[in-house]
Amino acid sequence: MLARLLSALLLLTLAACFPVAPQVPVGPSYYVMRHLDTQPGVRDAELTAQGQRNAQMLVEWFRNDPPAVIYVSSTRRAQQTAAPLAAALGIIPKVYDPANTAALVQMVRAETGTVLVVGHSNTVPDIVQQLGGTRPDPIGETQFGDIWHVAGLNGSTLRLSLSGT
């Protein structure tokens, strides 16, 4: 009897020494962001020097969850935002029409693996919401570097930052 009790205690002690692996969210993983820093008021502006530096930071930022697919709008600023990450991953970004959010969402939902969408201040809230996430507040004209992660079957939504703040 004492031997059985000691055996049971030993098994419980050993079980406590081995942590259980965290649950990986089941379902899709989407990242949605506005293009990075540009000069305000310039039509189809290119990224500023700061925007280019921030675009380079995306390579490290996505190190642990790299996208399998990247969607960019047809604007230079969106394409320049994704270019360093796409090059590092060997991905050719897919260009979408920023005026047709419904078509974009349909294409994104058909993908497997992690997906990054680079959009605009006036499209990101709609994209996040239509992908099943919580709609973000309006994005200000000078607000750059926020990334929304919509994950899992329940559309868990996190607002993250390229700068980590």
Side-chain angles (χ1 to χ4, degrees):
M1 180 75 168
L2 183 58
R4 278 189 168 166
L5 182 60
L6 288 175
S7 293
L9 269 169
L10 178 61
L11 284 174
L12 286 172
T13 303
L14 285 173
C17 292
F18 296 98
V20 176
Q23 291 285 334
V24 175
V26 176
S29 179
Y30 309 124
Y31 290 92
V32 183
M33 67 181 295
R34 179 188 186 193
H35 61 80
L36 292 169
D37 313 58
T38 59
Q39 290 294 329
V42 177
R43 185 164 175 77
D44 200 15
E46 294 192 2
L47 295 183
T48 63
Q50 181 64 46
Q52 292 170 9
R53 285 190 296 275
N54 288 340
Q56 290 291 334
M57 290 174 56
L58 288 172
V59 175
E60 178 62 22
W61 198 92
F62 278 102
R63 179 176 41 93
N64 293 325
D65 192 13
V69 180
I70 299 173
Y71 282 88
V72 296
S73 81
S74 54
T75 63
R76 284 190 293 189
R77 58 193 177 270
Q79 294 173 23
Q80 290 173 351
T81 293
L85 178 62
L89 296 174
I91 295 174
I92 296 173
K94 297 180 180 185
V95 178
Y96 70 91
D97 177 0
N100 193 347
T101 301
L104 167 66
V105 168
Q106 183 177 9
M107 291 185 297
V108 169
R109 286 182 179 264
E111 301 288 354
T112 57
T114 300
V115 178
L116 169 63
V117 178
V118 180
H120 302 274
S121 60
N122 63 332
T123 64
V124 165
D126 287 340
I127 295 167
V128 169
Q129 184 176 28
Q130 290 182 35
L131 287 172
T134 303
R135 184 182 183 84
D137 291 333
I139 300 171
E141 181 70 22
T142 59
Q143 185 179 342
F144 301 102
D146 290 331
I147 303 171
W148 285 266
H149 186 209
V150 180
L153 297 175
N154 66 351
S156 170
T157 309
L158 291 175
R159 179 181 176 183
L160 306 166
S161 175
L162 183 57
S163 66
T165 57

